[in-house]
Amino acid sequence: MEKFTLNGKWRVTSNTYDTVGDVPGSVYSALLANGLMEDPFYRDNERTATGITDEEFVFSKEFTYTKPSDSVLLVCEGLDTLCDIYINGQFVAHANNMHRTYYFEVAKYLLDGKNEIKVVFPPYDAYIKAKTKEKEITSGSAATMIGFAYVRKASYMSGWDWGPMLPDAGIWRDIYLIDGNTPRITDVRILQRHEEGKVFVSVKATTSAPADVHVKILAPNGEETAVENGSEAEIKNPELWWPNGYGAHPLYSVVCESIVNGEVVDVNTKKIGLRTLYISREKDEWGEEFCYKVNGIKIFAMGADYIPEDNILSRLNRERSKKLLEDCLFANFNSIRIWGGGFYPEDYFFELCDEMGIILFLDLMFACTAHPSDKAFHENAKQEIIDNVRRFRHHACIAVISGNNEIEEQAAGDWWKKEEKENYLYMFEEMIPSIMQEECPEISFITSSPTSHGGFVEPQNETMGDNHYWAVWHGNLPFQEYRKHYFRFLSEYGFQSFPSMKTIEEFTLPEDRNPFSAVMELHQRNASANGKILNYLSQTYLYPMNFEVLVYASQLLQAEAIKYAAEHMRRNRGRCMGSLYWQLNDCWPVASWASVDSNGRYKALHYEARRFYQPIHVSCAEIGEYSTRRDITDERYFGYETKAQIFVNNDSLEDVEGIVHWTLCKNDGTILEEGSQKVRVKALSYTSLEEMDFHKTDVSNNYLSFSFTVNDEVVSSGAVLFTKPKHFKFLNPKIQVEVKGDEITVTADAFAKYVYIYNEKDDLVLSDNFFDMDKGTKTVKIVSGKATNLQVKSVYDSR
């Protein structure tokens, strides 16, 4: 299909500004490019940036065009959000949904020759305030601009408890003209049938006007299979698509051509993976399972929740998302959840997940609020969902679609109005399920995340469905609380930390570098949560004597908290079948739940995830001094035990045989006790050793180290304390590092916990970091970055 692009340079004007910006682009991107606004991520610049779009902005462009026929369509793939469109001074249409693709007939407005198009964006905040004044909507997010639910705009742009209030406006995706009389391919429906080792694919392409349609399927090796449009064909020697860690991810190309008088006038190519993938909800001894079932195999989901990667959307691109998804592979993810308060990802994002074998748990873009109940809003939302589901439903990576993020759980509360509850039931348990049944019944659908039965009945039931668990962090409970729960699939849980010290230096001045400075609190959107970090820190570590050590210690807290939960769930594989922690990434520099900060630097959690998501993984459930005691003063009332049980998980498709080795050591490296046991772990299962009793070993000086060795190679290892780190008598490990080629050898004179190796830019990525090590040496590989001017920290330095 020939497109006349309107992308490129546009004039961007308001009462205050008159400049030129790129489209796709926005008010903020234009002003930033021309030096007309300060970086909204730096210090407290957000305060000024938020109000910029309180003005009306006009995007305008002159272009020369000759109408190809009596029908010309203006195609707007992304308008953010409320706007009026004019061509040559004549009103064309009003748009009010960022998530939709609009097609407007504009032939009667166009001239052969010089034309002008204008897109007028009124003030967003004034609009939502006026709507709220008419009728206030119940919201479950306290960190957003009031009334955001009235506009189908990415919710996080109005602020969230990890993101700034930057309600940008503009033309954020492609805009172009096409010949409305040319039979273009408007939809391609692809279905698969798997039967006794054979795979059949049906393809139905729909055109905007009568045309011949030719369909072919190209295998990864180029072999071609012809398919009659609307019919089914068998794929010879089918290569199945598997998620990361379970096999290859081969993709087939489905090519549809619209042909008029022997000439190809439009081509649509989609890539598919041959697989079966759905949520299994079989009844079992614990209730009802909730797990990914791929090609007949039930797999344990390992990953995190994804949020938009930036607030300035023009800065997003394929390479940036590719890097973030490669970070997921580095941490052994096989899945991520797309959170419902952003925007539906770009086509390239789904393509990358297909190519990398990353399974998606995908929310529709509704989160944490009631919604308008009028017919116009419902029709707008309905078309939004149809537009997007048709765009991405063919992708191999999609396992399940959720109607929203956390709205059912909130609507179940008695603070919601009756009519809001009724509207929820209509939208998410009638309207949207009917759309999904019509458009993609082959994809598993749940009405909300979390949910169990629907209809406000026990949305957080731990015996079925998925759960979001926040008693640790929001509820201030200790990490050990995770071990009291046996979720079927935990799709959201988290713990905060500060970003990299280098990232903090990039958005602050030296006088800002205090957790309670105005700038640091502005870059913390979960109310008073810097204090919460310090509260948890006071329970766990010695008080850091400088800000840099505080940042390091906060990341250790986060890593330890999520490790507690993830390993517990893996030790209950079968009963629990999914761990997706909150969250993978940030959209700006902030203290948050992310494991990769906004500048792409790995926090301690990301390295910990690489370890606790290893397909073959050894872990330990320890009982120690504070398993029963709440505080050091409880020692007069409560005794304690020092016990440990070692588990080995095998989330591969092959049985594995190896040796579990453990040592009870003193802090100086002296071995007090040791043992080993040969174990065989069946595929997709786990095994455990009998619980060991160390008879109240000296918790202040002794620790347990353990490993799992296969064919003389240590594939997984770890260490546990029997007391809080602040009460363990760490000796100075006198860590030294030596660089040879692409390796760094670390030497420690004593037990060292959470050894962190970094360079001046903190952009060094290693095969392992923030690790525990016994007295001796450990060698790690350099993955990326320069290993120069290295510095090292360990928990010994957290004082």
Side-chain angles (χ1 to χ4, degrees), residues 370-559:
H371 291 90
S373 58
D374 58 281
K375 184 176 180 181
F377 184 88
H378 290 162
E379 289 302 314
N380 192 12
K382 184 182 296 185
Q383 192 57 52
E384 162 197 322
I385 295 166
I386 292 171
D387 283 358
N388 284 283
V389 167
R390 289 183 178 179
R391 179 169 66 88
F392 58 61
R393 64 188 171 189
H394 65 283
H395 284 283
C397 59
I398 298 175
V400 58
I401 295 175
S402 161
N404 65 73
N405 171 75
E406 294 184 349
I407 303 180
E408 182 193 356
E409 179 183 16
Q410 294 176 7
D414 56 13
W415 60 91
W416 271 49
K417 305 178 186 75
K418 179 181 178 183
E419 59 268 28
E420 291 174 336
K421 291 174 179 277
E422 291 172 347
N423 187 47
Y424 173 87
L425 292 174
Y426 170 71
M427 284 186 63
F428 295 101
E429 300 201 3
E430 291 184 38
M431 184 184 86
I432 293 176
S434 68
I435 295 171
M436 303 305 291
Q437 184 61 33
E438 176 68 23
E439 297 294 333
C440 54
E442 70 278 12
I443 299 176
S444 295
F445 175 74
I446 57 176
T447 54
S448 183
S449 177
T451 192
S452 54
H453 306 276
F456 312 136
V457 178
E458 299 180 303
Q460 288 277 27
N461 186 328
E462 294 182 17
T463 68
M464 61 188 300
D466 72 316
N467 289 94
H468 295 186
Y469 180 74
W470 284 103
V472 176
W473 182 256
H474 288 309
N476 296 306
L477 294 179
F479 308 160
Q480 294 88 340
E481 199 71 15
Y482 286 122
R483 294 182 180 175
K484 298 178 182 179
H485 298 271
Y486 300 88
F487 307 103
R488 305 316 305 266
F489 192 110
L490 194 53
S491 53
E492 190 176 308
Y493 65 104
F495 196 94
Q496 276 202 7
S497 72
F498 294 109
S500 160
M501 189 64 207
K502 182 58 66 174
T503 297
I504 292 173
E505 290 172 357
E506 291 166 356
F507 74 82
T508 62
L509 292 175
E511 59 262 35
D512 302 325
R513 293 163 198 164
N514 182 295
F516 304 120
S517 72
V519 169
M520 288 302 296
E521 289 195 335
L522 191 66
H523 288 254
Q524 165 60 270
R525 306 318 281 255
N526 183 209
S528 302
N530 286 353
K532 190 186 289 282
I533 291 173
L534 265 68
N535 178 40
Y536 271 104
L537 189 146
S538 72
Q539 299 172 40
T540 312
Y541 290 106
L542 295 176
Y543 189 78
M545 296 309 292
N546 64 61
F547 185 64
E548 183 175 345
V549 174
L550 169 63
V551 169
Y552 165 72
S554 79
Q555 293 193 13
L556 306 190
L557 282 172
Q558 181 189 38

Side-chain angles (χ1 to χ4, degrees), residues 19-33:
T19 190
V20 174
D22 290 321
V23 167
S26 68
V27 170
Y28 290 156
S29 67
L31 299 184
L32 283 167

Side-chain angles (χ1 to χ4, degrees), residues 6 22 31 86 95 154 195 283 303 348 495 537 561 564 619 637 665 687-688 728 736 740:
L6 294 173
D22 290 321
L31 299 184
Y86 298 85
E195 188 176 279
K283 302 291 184 183
Y348 63 71
F495 196 94
L537 189 146
Y564 251 90
S619 68
Y637 304 113
C665 298
T687 192
S688 63
F728 188 83
Q736 297 182 13
K740 285 188 177 181

